[in-house]
Amino acid sequence: MTSTEIVELRRALGQLRQCVGSLRGRYGDVAAVQRLANDIERMDIDATELLDIDSPPRPRQVPLLEREVVVVPDTPYDSSLWQDADEEGLGGYRHR
């Protein structure tokens, strides 16, 4: 689509908006008028996407993330941490 066609499309969408505004004034905010207004908004979104297609692609911006490095030691854990723990899946060591 050329830029002239997109300009013409946007002009027509503006005219449609005015017509739907008049219909809203006459019929109120009934479902049919709401659907027409939604359709015009969708067409405007699609026209904007067409403009984006015609423009050269922008380089993708990668967000900068700060990462915290957590060092996990290779040494064994202190066995007293697990002194009162049951082994899951084996039914536990303590029978109640």
Side-chain angles (χ1 to χ4, degrees), residues 39-83:
D39 290 343
I40 293 169
E41 288 304 313
R42 183 64 218 164
M43 286 188 279
D44 190 40
I45 291 169
D46 290 341
T48 303
E49 287 180 10
L50 289 174
L51 282 174
D52 291 343
I53 290 172
D54 283 344
S55 64
R58 291 178 241 144
R60 187 173 161 198
Q61 296 288 336
V62 178
L64 297 175
L65 300 175
E66 290 186 26
R67 297 184 182 193
E68 180 182 349
V69 177
V70 178
V71 179
V72 179
D74 290 335
T75 58
Y77 287 109
D78 182 11
S79 61
S80 67
L81 292 173
W82 312 109
Q83 189 172 10

Side-chain angles (χ1 to χ4, degrees), residues 78-88 92-94 96:
D78 182 11
S79 61
S80 67
L81 292 173
W82 312 109
Q83 189 172 10
D84 292 333
D86 286 340
E87 183 71 34
E88 293 183 20
Y93 294 120
R94 288 181 258 140
R96 295 183 183 133

Side-chain angles (χ1 to χ4, degrees), residues 10-58:
R10 293 221 165 207
R11 188 189 61 75
L13 288 173
Q15 290 176 337
L16 281 172
R17 269 197 192 88
Q18 289 177 348
C19 291
V20 170
S22 297
L23 290 172
R24 183 172 277 135
R26 180 174 179 180
Y27 295 105
D29 208 20
V30 296
V33 174
Q34 288 178 355
R35 285 192 301 268
L36 288 169
N38 286 340
D39 290 343
I40 293 169
E41 288 304 313
R42 183 64 218 164
M43 286 188 279
D44 190 40
I45 291 169
D46 290 341
T48 303
E49 287 180 10
L50 289 174
L51 282 174
D52 291 343
I53 290 172
D54 283 344
S55 64
R58 291 178 241 144

